Amino acid sequence: MTTLEEAITLLPTKGYLNMDIPEGLNLVDEINRMRKEKNAIILAHYYQTGDIQDISDFLGDSLQLARAAGKTDADMIVFCGVHFMAETAKILNPAKKVVLPDLLAGCSLADSCSGERLRDLKKQHPDAIVISYINCDSGVKAESDIIVTSSNAGHIINSLPEEQEIIFAPDRNLGRYINQTAGRSMILWDGACTVHEAFSLERIAQQMLEYPKAKLIAHPEAQKPVLQVADYIGSTANLLNYVVDSDSREFIVATEEGILHEMRKRAPDKTLIPALTMDEKCNCSECHFMKLNTMEKLYLCMKYELPEILMDEEVRLKALRPINKMLELSKAIK
Ligand code: 13P
Ligand code: SF4
């Protein structure tokens, strides 16, 4: 049996990936078989590849996935997303085995902040409460008072007294957007999502000229100049709903392009144009962390039940409190 440590070092290498996958094996059949045999649930974020989205039991944004992870009675949660999401699942449902196809699936936002550095900032603002975006590790969650996602951040922050001093970590773009829309002056951590910061306003402006009827829709992790010209700003799930429900036929989509898979399925008659990024060579708005998960790694992860998310119980309990607070305060949000 491969140990956890061995799996961590071996999983990203091709050798390990090829080791156990016989040529011609039908991965979909095998994954379906193991899902049943092991009483596993596959949770996938909208930014996963289309094949992983299609095989998942539940597809959602950060908030929907946290809720699904917290209430499942499956024995194993196979989390197709990034590390902080799988960690959140473990925090909420510790009795379950939680596995992530690639343990290196991180997040630039989560990497920008640590519990220790956040503690230092809290010392400078002793009266402030800490609201952290769910895109952070368990150490940061443990130092926070309330966790939010892009679906419920505005709702939760608006419910707090106006005079309440707030530290908002770690996304400066989402924080700035809420400061502006909610009339707040939260102290912002200086972190950002490299994917959503890559959009080019100049190139998007050209797309808007090319598709004059298209609505520009953007995730609040994008930078201010893009948000300023957007017709609609929302979380991944809200952007999806907007495309499905809107009377418009064309959309320039400024978020991670994995969501286009579900948008195309739910709104097949609409034209979806991925917003252009500053990188003229690739034009891609893919999160390379999210895309580390593949069908092969999903198969191996279900077979070996590795890599597993393990956590210190004291940290888990501290991190659980602000997540539960979020779930309580956002019951009205779908
Ligand atoms: P949501 O799923 O909350 O829209 O967050 C987007 C994201 O960047 C996830 O990593
Ligand atoms: Fe993190 Fe951005 Fe990737 Fe989401 S899209 S996981 S915020 S780097």
Side-chain angles (χ1 to χ4, degrees), residues 3 62 130 134 138 154 195 199 220 226 228 251 260 285-287 319:
T3 65
S62 307
V130 177
I134 200 164
S138 53
V195 179
F199 292 112
V226 172
Q228 271 176 328
F251 304 86
L260 268 64
S285 46
E286 284 192 348
C287 172

Side-chain angles (χ1 to χ4, degrees), residues 48-201:
Q48 293 293 285
T49 54
D51 47 7
I52 293 181
Q53 291 188 39
D54 290 344
I55 206 164
S56 67
D57 295 287
F58 184 89
L59 177 65
D61 71 356
S62 307
L63 177 61
Q64 295 165 331
L65 289 166
R67 284 173 174 154
K71 67 174 191 223
T72 183
D73 53 11
D75 293 322
M76 178 164 74
I77 299 173
V78 184
F79 209 112
C80 297
V82 291
H83 189 270
F84 76 80
M85 295 178 175
E87 214 178 40
T88 304
K90 185 69 183 176
I91 294 167
L92 282 162
N93 212 338
K96 310 297 179 194
K97 180 176 266 191
V98 179
V99 290
L100 175 68
D102 193 322
L103 205 58
L104 298 181
C107 168
S108 65
L109 267 172
D111 289 348
S112 75
C113 192
S114 70
E116 207 180 340
R117 290 172 62 211
L118 186 56
R119 239 187 340 268
D120 288 343
L121 184 64
K122 279 165 70 173
K123 279 186 200 143
Q124 295 168 37
H125 303 277
D127 296 328
I129 63 163
V130 177
I131 299 191
S132 294
Y133 191 34
I134 200 164
N135 299 38
C136 62
D137 69 20
S138 53
V140 170
K141 288 188 174 81
E143 290 295 328
S144 305
D145 296 290
I146 312 175
I147 297 300
V148 295
T149 75
S150 51
S151 284
N152 60 24
H155 175 85
I156 290 177
I157 289 162
N158 276 326
S159 73
L160 301 173
E162 261 172 51
E163 62 285 1
Q164 176 64 60
E165 195 182 4
I166 300 171
I167 294 172
F168 186 82
D171 187 0
R172 61 179 174 231
N173 292 310
L174 177 62
R176 190 188 294 116
Y177 172 68
I178 295 168
N179 272 347
Q180 187 204 322
T181 50
R184 296 273 173 171
S185 43
M186 300 186 295
I187 301 148
L188 305 183
W189 191 268
D190 197 17
C193 163
T194 46
V195 179
H196 287 89
E197 280 213 331
F199 292 112
S200 156
L201 181 62

Side-chain angles (χ1 to χ4, degrees), residues 27 32 41 43 46 55 73 93 96 101 110 113 150-151 175 201 218 223 233 236 240 255 269 271 285 310 313 318:
L27 291 176
N32 283 334
I41 185 170
L43 304 182
Y46 288 121
I55 206 164
D73 53 11
N93 212 338
K96 310 297 179 194
C113 192
S150 51
S151 284
L201 181 62
Q223 296 193 78
I233 298 164
T236 312
L240 171 63
T255 190
D269 53 335
T271 303
S285 46
L310 299 168
E313 183 61 4
K318 281 190 188 157

Side-chain angles (χ1 to χ4, degrees), residues 252-283:
I252 300 169
V253 185
T255 190
E256 210 276 355
E257 63 180 58
I259 186 62
L260 268 64
H261 183 71
E262 186 65 10
M263 284 176 176
R264 285 190 188 109
K265 277 170 115 176
R266 304 252 309 264
D269 53 335
K270 302 208 169 160
T271 303
L272 304 167
I273 305 130
L276 292 175
T277 64
M278 287 175 243
D279 186 341
E280 299 203 9
K281 276 185 249 118
C282 94
N283 279 346

